[in-house]
Amino acid sequence: MTRHSVADVSGLPTSGFGATSPMWWGTMAFMAIEGMGFALGVASYLYLAFLAPEWPMAPPPDLIPGSLVTALLVVSVLPNHLLDRWTKAKDLKRVRFGLLLMSILGALPLVVRWFELGALNVNWDTNAYGSIVWLLLGLHTTHLLTDLVDTLVLAALMFTRHGRSGKRFSDVSDNAFYWDFVVGTWVVLYLVIYWFPRI
Amino acid sequence: MTSHPADMTKDLRDTDLDDPTLDGILARTWETPRGFYGWLATVDHKMVGRRYIVTAFVFLALAGLAALAMRLQLSVPENSLMGPDLYNQLFSMHGTTMMFLFAVPVMEAVAVYLVPLMVGTRNIAFPRLNAFSYWVYLFGGAMIWIAFAFNTGAENGWFSYVPLAGPEFSFGKRSDFWAQMVTFTEVSALAVAVSLIATIFKQRAPGMSLDRIPLFVWAMLVTSFAIMFAMPAVMISSTMLILDRLVGTQFFNPAEGGDPLLWQHLFWFFGHPEVYIIFIPATGMVSAIVPTFCQRPIFGYQALVLALIAIGFLSFGLWVHHMFATGLPQLGESFFTASSMLIAIPSGIQIFCWIATLWLGRPILKTPLLFVLGFIFTFVIGGLTGVMVASVPLDLQVHDTYFVVAHFHYVLIGGAVFPLLSAIYYWFPKISGRMLDERLGRWNFWLAVIGFNAAFFPMHLLGLEGMPRRVYTYPAASGWGEVNLFISLMSVVFAASFAVLGWNVVRSLRHGIVAGPNPWNAGTLEWAAPSPPPPYNFLRIPYASHREPLWNDRDSLPVVSGLRVDARELLSGSLAEATPELRESSVDNSIWPLLAAIATTAAFVGSIFTPSAVVWGGLLAAIPLIAWFWPKGNPEDEE
Ligand code: HEM
């Protein structure tokens, strides 16, 4: 079989942002999977709650550490979006700064999370309520941790010569997008873990 | 790679290169280096897909041997060959392996090989994730079988119900290995699903708008979405199970506010779609094969696409009755009946379209088509018994008897294994460059169809007579001895059909007729590539002018030009129309996915013995994962 050329693609760019980039779709897919995991975790929480004669089966968790984590995460959304904007402008200097900032803003909630675990007023092996609360927090902490590592690696990367490639900017943008997801899921979990037992 | 003069010119394009030069350069850019290291580090979807398929068949053989051992035990009443403990492990290993290590992975494996070729691209999206997925699958499967060899295999059936599998009733590490095996296979299945979705969404050849996507690719898209939404459920539930067993959580312990039914809800949220995750790709295979052997386009393409999507959605709906059934029995029952009946509509549409295509064309009765006919025949019987199981009074009668065993083997073997065998005969020439032998193929087919029906049909009768499933023996006075002996003998006939397939494969790899690119005169793009395809798949990225591009223009293939060839580059386009948007780089071979899989394995297996493994295992896995993403200064990394 012979071939005949019908189109020339030589002028196309080699990287893009958002839905243009396959990596963005990969990130979306992982968010869907993890979002499903969270949804099922919350569903299990509610299932156990409706089954139990009384809920929570221990004093509800103290509000302060958890609310502080929430505040830190919500506030971080603003610099996160600035970073995304700088990324799309391919402003390397600002992107480096933004990544350093986001590394700190990613680490801070983890520090507070440590105190949050101490203020849950229940252990994972006390009863099913304790088990599901610890599972939800454990899942989310894993997300915080992996995204922090990802941010740190990207920050390091942007300070090397590899930082100049268009692909890297698109990676940083996807990472920022993912952070929004980590924050968004936490807001839901926060309401479930802290406010559902109080209503 | 640095010595070749072509590399002197950075950013070399294919536009002005003649075919032999282009072949030389592309082969070097996309090659997997020879030798053991190259073999371990490859990210070529064809090599990964091939080893995925072979591994899945090895697990099929192991699970088949477990089945034959069970049949040997059951062939005479009051047999003392084995006790209940070994028998429990055998049926659990058989069911678990068939579902988690064979049926789902083999479908994904075929897709890993074929989908990039069918959509006209050079590699799967996220090739390293894909390679990682294979290693995780291999290690997870090896782990459970090694555990079984040390008398620590699965023992609570393929759905491992609590409390039987929980800390009070299942001692030792058996259920922990089962739970971690699930985690392994789900991680790998999810990784493949993500790669396939991105490949199908973004890497289709220009011109391949949604209504030109081959039906097998559509089927894999729907399957991948079902995997994405179903598998997290079983990962969560198996994590809860292992936590209950290892660190004393109380998810399933009613004494502390837990609930065993939570396990069933989560498991069946996955378990119902699971059957369709196996079945949808199989129907996609049939939809690819029927048109070729009728030499005409499929009848009702749009209807088939809609049917696939509908089945994908409804497969989740089937679970909902579980939830309704707890609180609202009446509504629940009618909902269940309604969604079972609803799913019969798209399934019926599919069968109708296949039969219409066969009717309108002039069917060529080669082995692949024979297996399709065997599939339709067997599947209709399976469907009929399914309707019987779905009717409530009969269900109470046959619940947990051999009637059920017969029913789901009809669905799984008739509905998925026969199409798979058809697919093996159909695409083997593409993968190997040689045809499978037709005469052996016919032997294979008749042994399989006769052996299968003879072995499994009588199980319906045993079930109606009340023989329970999952028993290691039965009393002589039951009168079931003769039928069981017959079943066991016929199982050997069925197993022999796989031996014929194995022999056919081994023989044809050396002596088979050389196939050429398109031995069946098929219409879709995978047949435009040589057989076996070179590392880069297509010399030039094809342009999909039609649903069957090779039938539209039989002499000349429309292609696009302008891609870079001294670095791995492919085309990425828009979701609906596949309009080219990017010259997207594709990553090079790398050993890090394997090392990351080894670290993950250490973490998963370690966590069976000590919870601290999650911490050190996580840290251990972070290193190869970072190295995997860190740019190495290849031309691909600099774009
Ligand atoms: C050589 C062909 C096969 C034979 C002879 C065979 C035989 C059996 C037998 C005798 C049992 C029931 C054991 C019992 O309940 O006591 C069984 C269970 C099962 N089989 Fe097969 N089988 C074969 C192939 C397959 C295939 C291809 C699949 C799936 C793709 C499959 C999936 C299952 C499952 C899921 C169970 C249920 C296990 C459980 O109870 O947890 N089998 N098989």
Side-chain angles (χ1 to χ4, degrees):
Chain A
M1 195 189 298
T2 61
R3 297 178 192 79
H4 59 280
S5 178
V6 293
D8 176 40
V9 295
S10 58
L12 291 179
T14 54
S15 68
F17 290 100
T20 322
S21 141
M23 190 57 92
W24 184 87
W25 286 97
T27 313
M28 275 290 268
F30 274 105
M31 289 189 332
I33 291 167
E34 289 152 16
M36 195 65 202
F38 280 120
L40 289 162
V42 169
S44 304
Y45 180 102
L46 297 176
Y47 177 84
L48 291 169
F50 285 120
L51 218 64
E54 52 176 324
W55 195 268
M57 303 162 77
D62 300 347
L63 275 177
I64 296 184
S67 307
L68 192 58
V69 170
T70 314
L72 283 171
L73 287 177
V74 170
V75 166
S76 72
V77 169
L78 186 73
N80 188 42
H81 277 250
L82 281 178
L83 171 59
D84 190 44
R85 192 179 306 160
W86 297 331
T87 309
K88 285 181 176 143
K90 302 201 175 174
D91 183 341
L92 186 57
K93 243 169 127 173
R94 287 211 166 97
V95 166
R96 285 174 174 169
F97 167 74
L99 279 167
L100 288 180
L101 185 64
M102 285 312 294
S103 304
I104 296 167
L105 289 177
L108 275 182
L110 273 169
V111 177
V112 187
R113 174 66 44 95
W114 184 257
F115 296 97
E116 192 185 358
L117 294 177
L120 286 176
N121 295 329
V122 67
N123 235 333
W124 61 84
D125 55 2
T126 316
N127 50 39
Y129 161 72
S131 307
I132 189 72
V133 167
W134 277 82
L135 180 74
L136 291 177
L137 268 177
L139 274 179
H140 191 261
T141 308
T142 315
H143 274 72
L144 280 180
L145 259 172
T146 40
D147 202 69
L148 176 63
V149 173
D150 201 33
T151 311
L152 287 172
V153 171
L154 276 174
L157 199 54
M158 294 313 272
F159 279 95
T160 68
R161 70 188 162 85
H162 303 298
R164 277 173 225 293
S165 104
K167 269 247 143 44
R168 297 290 89 76
F169 283 108
S170 151
D171 289 347
V172 175
S173 170
D174 289 340
N175 185 50
F177 178 43
Y178 189 79
W179 183 252
D180 281 349
F181 168 73
V182 173
V183 175
T185 48
W186 174 248
V187 172
V188 176
L189 293 184
Y190 172 69
L191 291 175
V192 170
I193 294 174
Y194 288 89
W195 292 99
F196 180 79
R198 290 190 156 80
I199 52 171
Chain B
M1 259 221 238
T2 42
S3 57
H4 193 264
D7 292 308
M8 300 302 201
T9 33
K10 197 167 158 4
D11 199 0
L12 181 70
R13 304 299 178 93
D14 61 10
T15 317
D16 300 317
L17 300 176
D18 60 37
D19 289 358
T21 320
L22 184 56
D23 171 64
I25 298 171
L26 280 175
R28 216 164 304 113
T29 304
W30 289 85
E31 79 180 339
T32 294
R34 275 173 198 285
F36 188 57
Y37 185 84
W39 191 83
L40 293 177
T42 188
V43 297
D44 183 334
H45 75 99
K46 298 178 292 300
M47 291 182 71
V48 175
R50 226 162 49 202
R51 61 180 68 152
Y52 233 126
I53 296 174
V54 171
T55 310
F57 270 89
V58 170
F59 285 122
L60 170 71
L62 287 172
L65 288 176
L68 290 181
M70 287 191 284
R71 284 318 316 174
L72 190 60
Q73 162 69 16
L74 294 176
S75 56
V76 291
E78 292 164 35
N79 198 347
S80 57
L81 187 68
M82 59 180 77
D85 185 65
L86 179 58
Y87 191 86
N88 283 352
Q89 287 191 68
L90 281 176
F91 76 68
S92 303
M93 289 300 292
H94 169 75
T96 299
T97 304
M98 285 296 188
M99 299 302 272
F100 290 100
L101 298 172
F102 165 66
V104 174
V106 81
M107 298 298 173
E108 294 198 296
V110 172
V112 162
Y113 192 99
L114 285 177
V115 163
L117 287 162
M118 288 184 154
V119 303
T121 187
R122 295 212 154 123
N123 203 352
I124 196 165
F126 319 134
R128 289 182 187 167
L129 184 66
N130 187 42
F132 172 75
S133 142
Y134 169 74
W135 296 118
V136 168
Y137 159 64
L138 175 68
F139 297 155
M143 177 197 73
I144 190 92
W145 276 89
I146 291 171
F148 175 64
F150 287 95
N151 195 24
T152 318
E155 63 171 353
N156 296 299
W158 82 277
F159 38 70
S160 209
Y161 272 1
V162 291
L164 218 52
E168 311 99 287
F169 293 104
S170 176
F171 304 115
K173 294 288 174 197
R174 286 180 180 172
S175 294
D176 304 294
F177 274 103
W178 182 87
Q180 284 311 58
M181 182 283 312
V182 168
T183 313
F184 273 100
T185 54
E186 309 308 281
V187 166
S188 75
L190 285 166
V192 174
V194 170
S195 296
L196 285 176
I197 289 176
T199 309
I200 299 168
F201 273 3
K202 295 302 289 176
Q203 291 184 193
R204 302 197 310 277
M208 192 180 283
S209 49
L210 291 179
D211 60 346
R212 288 181 188 164
I213 297 180
L215 282 164
F216 177 69
V217 176
W218 263 115
M220 287 317 301
L221 184 65
V222 173
T223 306
S224 301
F225 272 101
I227 287 177
M228 254 173 53
F229 292 111
M231 301 248 169
V234 70
M235 277 185 79
I236 294 248
S237 54
S238 67
T239 305
M240 287 175 175
L241 175 61
I242 205 164
L243 288 174
D244 265 15
R245 297 175 51 87
L246 290 180
V247 299
T249 54
Q250 313 283 3
F251 289 107
F252 306 123
N253 179 9
E256 293 295 346
D259 181 24
L261 275 182
L262 178 61
W263 169 268
Q264 297 198 18
H265 284 309
L266 287 172
F267 190 87
W268 288 113
F269 187 87
F270 145 85
H272 280 301
E274 165 90 343
V275 176
Y276 292 91
I277 287 169
I278 296 168
F279 173 61
I280 295 172
T283 65
M285 291 167 172
V286 173
S287 295
I289 291 164
V290 167
T292 299
F293 291 92
C294 294
Q295 289 291 301
R296 55 153 288 138
I298 191 96
F299 178 88
Y301 173 90
Q302 271 96 348
L304 282 166
V305 172
L306 290 177
L308 284 170
I309 296 173
I311 293 176
F313 274 104
L314 289 173
S315 68
F316 284 89
L318 280 178
W319 164 82
V320 181
H321 88 277
H322 245 88
M323 289 262 93
F324 277 107
T326 46
L328 303 162
Q330 208 51 52
L331 182 59
E333 230 159 75
S334 34
F335 185 89
F336 175 56
T337 317
S339 61
S340 314
M341 278 175 6
L342 273 180
I343 214 158
I345 298 174
S347 308
I349 290 177
Q350 287 184 308
I351 295 197
F352 173 77
C353 289
W354 296 325
I355 291 180
T357 311
L358 287 165
W359 191 264
L360 296 169
R362 223 171 283 144
I364 306 163
L365 278 181
K366 292 281 172 69
T367 311
L369 192 64
L370 285 179
F371 272 108
V372 166
L373 298 178
F375 150 73
I376 295 180
F377 170 73
T378 317
F379 192 68
V380 169
I381 296 185
L384 286 179
T385 56
V387 172
M388 287 165 75
V389 181
S391 86
V392 178
L394 195 74
D395 184 39
L396 292 178
Q397 182 81 20
V398 299
H399 185 74
D400 268 346
T401 68
Y402 263 85
F403 193 92
V404 177
V405 177
H407 165 66
F408 65 69
H409 282 92
Y410 263 86
V411 174
L412 288 168
I413 296 178
V417 176
F418 284 178
L420 176 71
L421 292 174
S422 168
I424 297 291
Y425 276 87
Y426 182 55
W427 280 298
F428 182 86
K430 179 50 58 190
I431 299 177
S432 71
R434 291 177 186 271
M435 310 293 285
L436 281 171
D437 184 69
E438 263 301 310
R439 219 165 60 94
L440 284 173
R442 273 156 209 274
W443 273 99
N444 185 355
F445 170 73
W446 287 111
L447 282 174
V449 169
I450 294 173
F452 166 73
N453 281 288
F456 285 89
F457 195 81
M459 287 187 196
H460 291 110
L461 308 178
L462 279 181
L464 289 173
E465 286 174 22
M467 178 163 166
R469 65 188 281 206
R470 295 179 169 176
V471 290
Y472 77 106
T473 194
Y474 49 92
S478 64
W480 299 328
E482 282 171 17
V483 181
N484 269 304
L485 181 61
F486 179 76
I487 291 176
S488 295
L489 288 173
M490 290 303 120
S491 304
V492 176
V493 174
F494 184 46
S497 74
F498 286 92
V500 172
L501 173 67
W503 169 238
N504 199 350
V505 167
V506 171
R507 220 187 72 122
S508 302
L509 280 176
R510 290 173 169 235
H511 308 295
I513 301 168
V514 174
N518 192 0
W520 310 112
N521 190 21
T524 40
L525 281 178
E526 77 271 28
W527 303 104
S531 309
Y536 52 82
N537 287 357
F538 299 94
L539 200 56
R540 295 171 199 277
I541 298 285
Y543 175 87
S545 54
H546 195 263
R547 210 170 280 154
E548 283 94 7
L550 307 193
W551 287 348
N552 185 43
D553 188 341
R554 286 173 192 266
D555 311 312
S556 182
L557 183 72
V559 295
V560 298
S561 58
L563 275 184
R564 187 170 170 187
V565 292
D566 60 326
R568 295 184 174 206
E569 190 168 89
L570 42 79
L571 267 187
S572 161
S574 65
L575 178 61
E577 294 297 321
T579 315
E581 291 171 339
L582 295 179
R583 293 183 292 115
E584 172 78 17
S585 61
S586 177
V587 291
D588 211 332
N589 299 322
S590 163
I591 196 71
W592 292 106
L594 171 59
L595 298 179
I598 292 174
T600 313
T601 304
F604 285 173
V605 177
S607 68
I608 292 177
F609 298 96
T610 154
S612 66
V614 177
V615 178
W616 58 254
L619 292 175
L620 192 66
I623 301 165
L625 284 173
I626 291 170
W628 157 350
F629 286 107
W630 196 268
K632 316 288 184 307
N634 300 334
E636 288 83 4
D637 295 327
E638 307 305 322
E639 294 278 0

